[in-house]
């Protein structure tokens, strides 16, 4: 009985989350004439799969895809390395000004991006990074508050005896981190990687401001090209949205079991 | 020993990061139009051209850029498509003194201080053939009697109507010279609430710029002609009446309120065949036809006994003051508004009389209303008259919105005038 | 009641002596956090200070820059009704969004934590909206919410309810925004789920042996054990609520009648529609201070309700033989945020 309720709830909820996307897919498949019919047609009369290919070729989306992949992979790598170091520093050491510094870490999450945008633009312009992918990659190598916070919260839940035992055996802190902590952090590192990939993949404001030339554009910038000042190519937007959602969804689908399953099986609890 | 190893690892990671940063910084120049890859010769001059256009219009602009490159060897035109983020991009570009060389422009009051005055170029360069342009267009690119933009395209506002819905209702199509009285009568007859079908759609958030046509046609205006006074203009009986009319049509049910910025817009509902008449510029025409609507256009209705006035939306091309390639930029603009390029830009209304005559655009019933409305667009819009208009407009927009939601026009406009006075001192 | 025992003991934890730190002269920790410090100085602090400076100027994007002292701040507090309006809208939004967001995410996570078949599918489904880009999201929601032609009202009409014109009705527009924002709770759900999976089964077993029912187990085991996660999600929710911009910008434009005119949007418009960079920077600094204060308060309070197992365990063993050993280090540890 309880199982039935659980499944009913799960199915109902997932319908809520999936239904609007169903519309996105069918919109992408419809013909121009069918787009705006009311009452809406649930299914297109002809399934125009060619719409996907057409939308993809309106602009150099292969190129956008390449740029997005470069940005996403390099910056994700940066986040993993830098945030692990920093989070460990905050979680496991006591040092002068630690709490104050950590508050500053958190405070940086609260800075609205619109404020620092223009000064940042000036800075990157001075460095000659405008219209390159660097502004989208390099800052990731210096940690992001959200992930530092997330990883720090996780490391704090690991028993300290682990570190201490290893330290007594003569291991340095870096060895402790690499040999003891990082293996246990697997799930949360995957979580960070997945989250960062998602936000990187879908970032719009950053690429918008820092990139000028279409050959440097990322997928979301390409997508936004369908939305002009005076009109929207809804069909292309939906088609491209469906296509560019597939890689992050696939990543998520394969990663999620490690994220939620992993922690329970590390054997550190109980 | 282990400890030592890990220290080396840590330090080397740091060094790597620091050097990465340094390397990236070092390799960059300060040149605005730097091309890090390609261009091995390095001899080509890059001209940056910023546009807000998307889709087919953007494709055409890229074609034009290619043609220009062919006739100007050693030049690369970098078409930068900012789409919906146009203002943000320009703001960042100008803010950091790194703007595009040539850009589309309409908001001269905001940007003119960073733009290059073009009077000299325009008067000296015979190739431009300045007399061939619709002369009224130049007023929109002038600030303090200096010309900052060369007209590249324009639109006036007309009424679109769905022929099939008129046929179904047994109504004759509207024709030039009609009045708002006739308009409202038709709208009533075309409305069938049970079918969620309406005669007209009114935007929840109107751009006050677009409403000026209504207001001028009723003999009102937002601001005095010398740009100093709003009291007695923005809240005059004529101004209030014209805006109130839209609010009333919503109240009596002959029009439906259509969504704001990102929502299902009036255009979408028109495409669904659920509103019979829609007021706008040339922008949605193509998409109406693509959606399979048999669409007609007609000039705006007049207020009885008063001359019909229209408002013009212009897109011009400007050169940034900070541009290092001003002469090349001028050449590009000149090409962009040449007969050849105008003919390529099929989505824009031609700005040259000769091209219009040659293509007989003003004979085509679908395009004719835009040109008759052009003749009626001789008032100066408020934003060109007062440098603080942005602030005043904030109050006015809020007032107009509340009229659409049922407020009394006279009342809220009085309040808007009161709230705006302090900006005009 | 093992858990209540932990509750008290946590605060009295005596931190064990750290080994291998002093020898390095205390520089080690700074080396670990060096990447962040460097990035903060280069990419954040500079731009941030710059924005503080320009908040004392009349700074249009183009044109003359003039020093105006604290005029921007004075204008904001005493002369600008939109400032108060947008602040109020944002607070109202936050008050609705933050608790609902946490309840929904935790609820879904608990549903998924029940050893169901096909959990991979359900997790992905719940996370789906989070991978959709903002432009498309806004379009989808506009289709859902449209008054006459919207899908939500279509379904409501099937059960005999005549729905409002959601986004054009001042009473409903903010609610509509909250619902739309809840749709993107995927990350939060996932973090909760990870937290839930980390709760040792034996805690539930011993609780139920103590005679605790499901509800008491939830409040006495589940909630205390996921408090670090809860703290994280609470704070990021608050920040997200205050920074909500995309949906307002793309979906309602702040309307109708400013009912969804968020503070972030007000700031954005001052900067990019009215090009008052100085004024916008002043707006931003004020918001920054509000969120900072809120976060600080949450953190202060967290000492009373957040339990870190890493510290609890240490304590459990140390505290059993010797009750509550306090030292100078312990008090610092206690105030750890």
């Amino acid at each position: 009985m309880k199982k039935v309720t659980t499944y009913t709830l799960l199915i109902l909820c997932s319908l809520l989350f999936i239904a609007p996307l169903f519309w996105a897919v069918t919109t992408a498949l419809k013909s121009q004439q069918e787009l705006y019919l009311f009452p809406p047609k649930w299914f297109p009369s002809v399934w125009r799969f060619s719409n996907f290919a057409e939308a993809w070729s309106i602009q150099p989306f292969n190129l956008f895809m390449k740029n997005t992949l470069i940005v996403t992979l390099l910056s994700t790598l940066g986040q993993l390395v830098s945030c692990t170091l920093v989070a460990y520093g905050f979680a496991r050491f006591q040092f002068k000004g630690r709490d104050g510094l950590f508050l500053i870490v958190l405070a940086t999450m609260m800075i609205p991006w619109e404020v620092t945008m223009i000064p940042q633009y000036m800075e990157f312009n001075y460095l000659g990074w405008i219209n390159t992918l660097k502004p989208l990659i390099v800052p990731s190598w210096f940690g992001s508050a959200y992930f530092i916070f997330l990883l720090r919260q996780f490391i704090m839940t690991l028993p300290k005896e682990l570190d201490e035992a290893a330290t007594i055996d003569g291991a340095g802190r870096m060895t402790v981190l690499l040999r003891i902590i990082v293996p246990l952090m697997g799930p949360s590192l995957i979580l960070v990687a997945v989250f960062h990939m998602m936000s990187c993949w879908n970032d719009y404001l950053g690429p918008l401001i820092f990139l000028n030339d279409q050959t440097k554009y990322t997928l979301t910038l390409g997508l936004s090209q369908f939305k002009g000042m005076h009109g929207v190519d809804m069909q292309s937007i939906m088609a491209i949205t469906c296509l560019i959602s597939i890689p992050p969804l696939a990543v998520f689908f394969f990663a999620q079991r490690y994220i939620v399953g992993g922690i329970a099986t590390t054997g550190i609890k109980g | 020993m282990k400890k030592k190893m890990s220290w080396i690892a840590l330090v080397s990671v740091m060094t790597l990061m620091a050097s990465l940063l340094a390397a990236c910084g070092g390799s960059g120049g300060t040149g605005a139009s730097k091309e890090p890859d390609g261009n091995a010769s390095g001899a080509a001059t890059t001209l940056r051209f910023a546009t807000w256009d998307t889709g087919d219009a953007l494709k055409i602009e890229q074609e034009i850029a290619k043609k220009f490159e062919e006739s100007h060897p050693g030049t690369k035109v970098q078409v930068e498509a900012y789409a919906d983020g146009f203002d943000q991009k320009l703001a960042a570009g100008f803010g950091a003194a790194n703007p595009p060389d040539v850009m589309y422009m309409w908001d001269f009051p905001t940007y003119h201080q960073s733009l290059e005055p073009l009077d000299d170029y325009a008067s000296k360069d015979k190739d431009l053939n300045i007399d061939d342009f619709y002369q009224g267009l130049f007023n929109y690119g002038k600030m303090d009697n200096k010309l900052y933009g060369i007209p590249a395209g324009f639109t006036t506002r007309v009424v679109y109507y769905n022929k099939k819905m008129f046929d179904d209702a047994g109504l004759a199509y509207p024709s030039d010279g009609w009045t708002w009285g006739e308009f409202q009568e038709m709208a009533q007859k075309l409305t069938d609430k049970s079918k969620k079908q309406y005669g007209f759609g009114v935007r929840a958030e109107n751009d006050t710029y677009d409403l000026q046509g209504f207001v001028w046609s009723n003999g009102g205006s937002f601001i005095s002609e010398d740009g100093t006074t709003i009291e007695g203009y923005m809240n005059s009986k004529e101004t209030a009446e014209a805006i109130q009319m839209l609010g009333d049509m919503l109240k009596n049910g002959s029009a439906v309120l259509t969504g704001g910025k990102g929502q299902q817009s009036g255009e979408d509902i028109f495409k669904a065949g659920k509103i019979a008449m829609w007021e706008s510029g040339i922008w949605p025409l193509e998409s109406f036809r693509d959606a399979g609507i048999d669409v007609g256009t007609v000039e705006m209705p007049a207020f009885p006994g008063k001359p019909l006035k229209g408002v013009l939306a212009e897109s011009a091309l400007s050169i940034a003051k900070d541009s290092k390639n001003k002469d090349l930029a001028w050449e590009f603009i000149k090409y962009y508004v040449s007969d050849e390029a105008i003919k390529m830009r099929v989505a824009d209304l031609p700005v040259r009389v000769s091209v219009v005559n040659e293509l007989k655009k003003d004979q085509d019933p679908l395009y004719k209303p835009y040109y008759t409305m052009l003749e009626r667009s001789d008032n100066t819009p408020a934003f060109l008259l007062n440098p603080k208009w942005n602030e005043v407009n904030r109050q006015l927009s809020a007032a107009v919105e509340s009229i659409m939601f049922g407020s009394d026009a006279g009342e809220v406009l009085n309040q808007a005038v009161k709230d705006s006075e302090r900006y005009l001192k | 009641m093992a858990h209540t025992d932990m509750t008290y003991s946590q605060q009295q934890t005596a931190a064990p002596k750290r080994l291998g730190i002093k020898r390095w002269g205390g520089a080690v920790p700074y080396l670990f956090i060096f990447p962040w410090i460097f990035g903060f100085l280069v990419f954040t602090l500079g731009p941030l200070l710059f924005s503080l400076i320009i908040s004392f100027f009349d700074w249009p994007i183009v044109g003359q820059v003039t020093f105006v002292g604290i005029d921007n701040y004075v204008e904001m507090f005493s002369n600008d009704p939109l400032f108060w309006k947008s602040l109020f809208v944002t607070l109202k939004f936050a008050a609705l969004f933050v608790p609902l967001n946490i309840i929904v995410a935790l609820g879904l996570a608990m549903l998924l934590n029940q050893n169901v078949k096909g959990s991979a599918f359900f997790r992905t489904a719940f996370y789906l909206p989070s991978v959709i880009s903002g432009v498309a999201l806004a379009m989808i929601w506009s289709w859902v919410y449209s008054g006459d032609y919207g899908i939500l009202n279509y379904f409501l009409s099937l059960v005999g309810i005549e729905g409002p014109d959601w986004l054009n009705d001042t009473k409903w527009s903010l609610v509509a925004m909250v619902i739309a924002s809840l749709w993107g709770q995927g990350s939060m759900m996932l973090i909760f789920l990870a937290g839930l999976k980390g709760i040792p089964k034996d805690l539930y077993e011993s609780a139920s042996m103590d005679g605790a029912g499901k509800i008491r187990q939830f409040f006495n085991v589940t909630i205390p054990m996921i408090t670090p996660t809860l703290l994280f999600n609470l704070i990021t929710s608050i920040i997200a609520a205050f920074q909500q911009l995309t949906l307002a910008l793309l979906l309602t434009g702040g309307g109708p009648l400013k009912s969804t005119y968020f503070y972030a949007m007000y700031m954005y418009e001052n900067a990019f529609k009215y090009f008052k960079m100085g004024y916008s920077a002043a707006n931003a600094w004020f918001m920054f201070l509000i969120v900072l204060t809120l976060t600080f308060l949450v953190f202060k309070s967290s000492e009373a309700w957040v339990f870190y197992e890493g510290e609890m365990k240490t304590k459990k063993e140390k505290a059993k033989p010797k009750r509550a050993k306090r030292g100078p280090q312990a008090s610092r540890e206690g105030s750890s945020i």
Side-chain angles (χ1 to χ4, degrees):
Chain A
M1 190 55 215
K2 190 175 154 275
K3 278 276 154 184
V4 175
T5 340
T6 308
Y7 279 107
T8 318
L9 274 173
L10 276 171
I11 289 166
L12 281 179
C13 288
S14 38
L15 279 182
L16 280 181
F17 284 96
I18 294 173
L21 294 159
F22 167 80
W23 177 74
V25 176
T26 54
T27 300
L29 288 168
K30 283 177 186 169
S31 67
Q32 279 281 336
Q33 282 77 17
E34 279 176 317
L35 272 187
Y36 297 100
L37 289 183
F38 185 87
K41 282 186 94 169
W42 296 109
F43 295 98
S45 51
V46 183
W47 298 67
R48 297 165 61 99
F49 287 100
S50 60
N51 286 350
F52 288 106
E54 275 166 30
W56 192 262
S57 61
I58 289 177
Q59 293 177 68
F61 271 100
N62 283 331
L63 188 63
F64 300 163
M65 176 77 123
K66 191 187 103 197
N67 291 335
T68 308
L69 279 174
I70 293 174
V71 170
T72 306
L73 293 178
L74 287 181
S75 75
T76 303
L77 190 65
Q79 290 288 3
L80 288 176
V81 173
S82 58
C83 291
T84 305
L85 287 174
V86 177
Y88 184 74
F90 276 115
R92 281 296 197 256
F93 291 98
Q94 293 179 43
F95 50 90
K96 222 175 155 196
R98 181 190 69 172
D99 293 356
L101 280 175
F102 193 66
L103 248 187
I104 296 178
V105 172
L106 294 174
T108 58
M109 279 202 289
M110 299 151 208
I111 301 167
W113 198 66
E114 296 84 47
V115 199
T116 50
M117 185 192 97
I118 301 258
Q120 259 189 15
Y121 184 94
M122 291 170 159
E123 189 177 338
F124 291 133
N125 188 37
Y126 174 77
L127 292 170
W129 291 4
I130 296 299
N131 205 18
T132 71
L133 300 178
K134 287 170 201 163
L136 306 174
I137 298 171
V138 178
S140 295
W141 284 83
F142 300 95
S144 122
Y146 183 85
F147 298 129
I148 293 173
F149 187 18
L150 187 75
L151 290 181
R152 178 245 190 203
Q153 293 302 84
F154 178 78
I155 298 175
M156 299 269 289
T157 64
L158 298 177
K160 276 181 182 153
E161 296 93 324
L162 288 172
D163 298 39
E164 278 148 20
T167 321
I168 289 165
D169 292 345
R173 300 306 292 229
M174 198 63 198
T175 317
V176 173
L177 174 61
L178 290 178
R179 295 273 162 77
I180 314 275
I181 303 294
V182 167
L184 291 177
M185 282 169 75
S188 50
L189 287 178
I190 293 174
L191 188 73
V192 166
V194 167
F195 281 2
H196 183 71
M197 276 183 198
M198 301 295 165
S199 63
C200 213
W201 192 266
N202 277 330
D203 187 15
Y204 168 66
L205 279 177
L208 172 74
I209 299 302
F210 298 129
L211 304 176
N212 293 327
D213 180 2
Q214 221 186 6
T215 58
K216 308 285 188 323
Y217 278 11
T218 58
L219 287 169
T220 43
L221 268 191
L223 180 67
S224 74
Q225 298 291 300
F226 292 120
K227 189 167 187 271
M229 300 260 275
H230 300 287
V232 178
D233 182 353
M234 184 158 78
Q235 197 164 36
S236 300
I237 289 192
M238 288 308 160
I240 295 295
T241 299
C242 295
L243 290 177
I244 68 176
S245 301
I246 294 172
L249 265 187
V251 166
F252 181 85
F253 185 81
F254 289 110
Q256 44 90 23
R257 88 179 92 167
Y258 296 103
I259 296 170
V260 294
I263 290 174
T265 57
T266 47
I268 53 158
K269 299 288 164 77
Chain B
M1 195 54 208
K2 261 185 191 167
K3 198 180 283 173
K4 211 171 186 180
M5 285 302 286
S6 56
W7 264 107
I8 292 165
L10 181 64
V11 170
S12 48
V13 168
M14 304 291 162
T15 329
L16 191 76
M17 279 191 273
S19 55
L20 178 72
L21 191 75
C24 295
S27 71
T30 45
S33 46
K34 204 184 147 302
E35 268 289 274
D37 51 20
N39 278 350
S41 64
T45 319
T46 302
L47 191 72
R48 295 173 55 203
F49 166 50
T51 171
W52 54 54
D53 277 315
T54 54
D56 290 339
L58 175 62
K59 278 238 159 101
I60 294 169
E61 285 158 22
Q62 285 163 336
E63 287 291 313
I64 294 177
K66 266 210 198 89
K67 280 254 165 89
F68 182 77
E69 285 171 0
E70 282 165 18
S71 58
H72 293 75
T75 303
K76 183 183 175 328
V77 179
Q78 180 173 304
V79 179
E80 303 184 354
Y82 298 164
D84 212 20
F86 189 80
D87 273 322
Q88 218 171 6
K89 285 289 295 179
L90 273 198
F94 279 123
N98 182 24
D101 300 295
V102 181
M103 74 216 80
Y104 259 108
M105 179 55 57
W106 65 272
D107 189 359
F108 292 98
T110 302
Y111 291 104
H112 74 278
Q113 284 165 302
S114 297
L115 301 177
E116 179 74 11
L118 301 175
D119 305 83
D120 282 355
Y121 290 99
S123 58
K124 274 182 205 150
D125 199 330
K126 294 249 155 32
D127 297 348
L128 182 67
N129 194 6
I130 197 164
D131 298 330
D132 190 27
F133 284 82
Y134 284 93
Q135 290 303 308
L137 295 172
F138 286 100
N139 295 333
Y140 286 76
K142 274 193 182 137
M143 294 299 301
D144 310 322
N145 271 324
K146 276 190 194 142
L147 183 66
Y148 289 98
I150 301 296
F154 77 96
T155 181
T156 47
R157 302 181 76 84
V158 300
V159 171
Y160 293 90
Y161 59 94
N162 182 328
K163 289 185 180 166
K164 183 169 175 296
M165 288 174 80
F166 272 77
D167 292 345
D168 290 349
L171 287 174
Y173 302 148
S175 57
D176 290 358
W178 59 329
T179 64
W180 282 109
E182 289 161 17
F183 177 93
Q184 292 193 24
E185 213 173 287
M186 287 181 194
Q188 290 278 10
K189 286 186 187 148
L190 289 159
T191 298
D192 181 348
K193 277 210 176 138
S194 66
K195 287 199 239 155
K196 302 196 176 201
Q197 173 183 315
Y198 299 87
F200 186 51
V202 173
R203 298 174 181 83
E205 282 177 71
N206 286 281
D207 192 330
T208 60
Y209 185 89
D210 304 337
L211 290 181
Q212 289 177 118
F214 292 73
V215 171
W216 293 333
S217 294
N218 198 32
S221 71
F222 289 144
I223 193 163
S224 62
E225 268 172 51
D226 63 359
T228 56
T229 323
I230 51 170
E231 170 68 45
Y233 292 90
M234 206 163 101
N235 55 353
S236 70
K237 195 174 128 272
E238 290 79 14
T239 306
E241 244 176 39
I243 302 173
Q244 185 68 57
M245 184 182 72
L246 293 174
D248 288 346
M249 288 179 70
L250 287 169
K251 265 185 210 155
N252 69 29
S254 57
V256 65
L257 195 66
T258 65
K261 197 170 185 232
Q263 299 165 44
Q264 232 168 23
S265 63
E267 272 96 5
D268 294 345
I269 306 173
F270 188 89
K271 283 183 224 168
K274 293 291 171 185
I275 48 181
M277 293 186 283
W278 180 247
E279 179 266 331
S280 183
I282 184 139
W283 308 294
L285 180 60
E286 237 359 85
S287 68
F288 287 167
R289 287 199 280 196
D290 286 347
I293 300 289
D294 189 4
V295 63
T297 55
V298 56
E299 67 174 38
M300 297 287 293
F303 288 90
K306 295 179 184 173
L308 176 64
K309 295 286 180 186
V311 65
L312 185 77
E314 182 186 278
S315 44
L317 288 187
S318 295
I319 300 178
K321 214 177 217 162
D322 290 340
S323 166
K324 290 179 188 69
N325 305 306
K326 285 181 191 146
D327 289 331
L328 189 62
W330 174 254
E331 287 300 314
F332 180 71
I333 291 182
K334 213 168 67 185
Y335 179 67
Y336 202 83
V337 297
S338 68
D339 286 15
E340 187 187 354
I342 288 178
K343 281 179 200 158
M344 291 173 74
R345 288 187 283 125
V346 287
D348 282 328
L349 291 168
V351 289
R352 282 182 186 275
V353 181
S354 61
V355 179
V356 172
N357 289 339
E358 191 192 329
L359 300 178
K360 297 203 167 58
K361 275 267 179 188
D362 54 345
Q363 316 281 309
D364 183 336
L366 211 47
Y367 287 95
K368 189 167 166 265
Y370 300 100
Y371 285 94
T372 54
M373 288 307 291
L374 177 61
E375 287 158 26
R376 302 177 190 283
S377 305
D378 46 9
N379 297 52
T380 312
F383 85 115
L384 293 172
L385 292 172
N386 190 301
K388 294 278 184 171
W389 179 252
N390 249 342
E391 301 287 354
V392 177
N393 191 32
R394 219 168 173 167
Q395 313 292 334
L396 177 61
S397 304
V400 168
E401 195 190 355
S402 72
I403 296 168
M404 300 309 138
F405 283 90
S407 300
D408 175 66
E411 238 168 75
V412 291
L413 288 173
N414 273 332
Q415 187 60 43
V417 168
K418 227 189 266 168
D419 293 340
S420 306
E421 287 291 359
R422 69 193 187 96
Y423 298 112
L424 295 177
K425 273 174 196 144
Chain C
M1 304 281 273
H3 47 271
T4 41
D5 197 58
M6 285 181 225
T7 313
Y8 286 110
S9 49
Q10 190 267 340
Q11 285 160 308
Q12 300 163 358
T13 297
K17 275 256 173 341
R18 296 290 181 284
L19 297 158
I21 300 171
K22 291 277 159 357
R23 266 189 290 163
W24 290 93
V28 184
Y30 296 103
L31 274 165
F32 274 97
I33 65 168
F34 171 78
W36 173 76
I37 292 182
F38 186 85
F40 173 70
L41 293 178
V42 174
F43 298 120
T44 312
L45 189 63
L48 197 61
L49 286 179
F50 187 81
S51 89
L52 181 64
I53 292 167
I54 72 173
S55 78
F56 296 105
F57 284 84
D58 176 14
W59 195 298
I61 291 278
V62 295
Q64 196 62 43
V65 172
T66 9
F67 180 73
V68 294
I70 57 164
D71 278 10
N72 282 332
Y73 293 91
V74 173
E75 165 82 9
M76 192 162 101
F77 290 117
S78 57
N79 248 333
D80 191 349
L82 278 182
F83 164 76
W84 295 108
K85 172 79 190 172
S86 60
L87 190 59
F88 178 67
V89 168
T90 301
L91 288 173
K92 214 160 93 182
F93 176 78
L96 284 169
F97 172 75
V98 174
L100 280 176
N101 196 22
I102 287 184
I103 290 169
V104 168
L106 183 57
L108 290 176
M110 292 188 56
L111 265 181
L112 286 176
N113 195 29
Q114 313 233 348
N115 274 331
V116 284
K117 285 214 176 68
S119 62
F121 166 78
F122 288 120
R123 278 174 210 153
T124 313
F126 294 164
Y127 192 77
L128 235 167
S130 307
V131 304
I132 309 266
S133 76
V135 181
L137 269 188
M139 285 187 162
I140 292 173
W141 280 106
S142 97
W143 171 79
V144 171
Y145 280 137
S146 166
D148 271 338
Y149 314 105
I151 198 68
L152 179 56
N153 283 355
Y154 175 76
F155 280 114
L156 286 177
S157 74
L158 294 184
V159 289
I161 301 169
E162 201 190 324
D165 187 355
W166 294 89
L167 298 175
N168 280 318
D169 185 327
T170 47
K171 285 194 291 293
W172 289 102
S173 52
L174 194 69
V175 177
M177 294 297 263
V178 171
I179 297 174
S181 307
L182 288 177
W183 210 45
Q185 51 65 52
S187 316
M188 195 161 282
M189 170 205 76
L190 203 64
I191 295 174
F192 270 132
L193 191 55
L196 288 172
K197 294 273 181 197
I199 302 175
K201 290 272 181 299
D202 58 350
L203 284 183
Y204 288 105
E205 280 155 21
S206 63
S208 79
M209 270 191 285
D210 286 352
K214 284 280 170 213
I215 293 172
R216 270 192 45 208
Q217 282 182 26
F218 174 74
F219 284 107
N220 291 342
V221 180
T222 312
I223 292 287
M225 291 303 289
I226 59 164
T227 46
T229 322
L230 201 59
L231 175 68
F232 178 85
N233 281 342
L234 180 62
I235 286 177
T236 50
S237 278
I238 291 175
I239 294 172
F242 273 84
Q243 290 187 351
Q244 176 60 273
L245 172 68
T246 322
L247 258 186
L249 205 60
L250 292 174
L251 193 54
T252 62
L257 302 177
K258 306 282 179 226
S259 57
T260 58
Y261 197 61
F262 295 124
Y263 193 84
M265 172 129 189
Y266 165 74
M267 221 161 66
Y268 178 89
E269 285 203 344
N270 279 334
F272 296 111
K273 196 164 163 195
Y274 300 101
F275 296 107
K276 299 194 285 188
M277 295 315 291
Y279 192 55
S280 180
N283 299 156
W285 270 88
F286 179 72
M287 174 169 113
F288 182 50
L289 290 182
I290 292 186
V291 183
L292 198 62
T293 314
L294 274 177
T295 311
F296 182 74
L297 291 177
V298 172
F299 260 120
K300 271 287 155 206
S301 79
S302 77
E303 282 163 31
W305 59 269
V306 174
F307 320 115
Y308 292 109
E309 210 187 345
E311 295 182 349
M312 269 187 287
K313 284 222 162 159
T314 346
K315 188 264 138 201
K316 245 159 99 191
E317 280 140 38
K318 308 262 157 172
K320 256 168 203 161
K322 278 185 247 158
R323 197 81 200 164
K325 184 177 78 179
R326 273 173 198 264
Q329 280 205 326
S331 61
R332 244 193 289 152
E333 188 80 353
S335 72
S336 73
I337 37 185

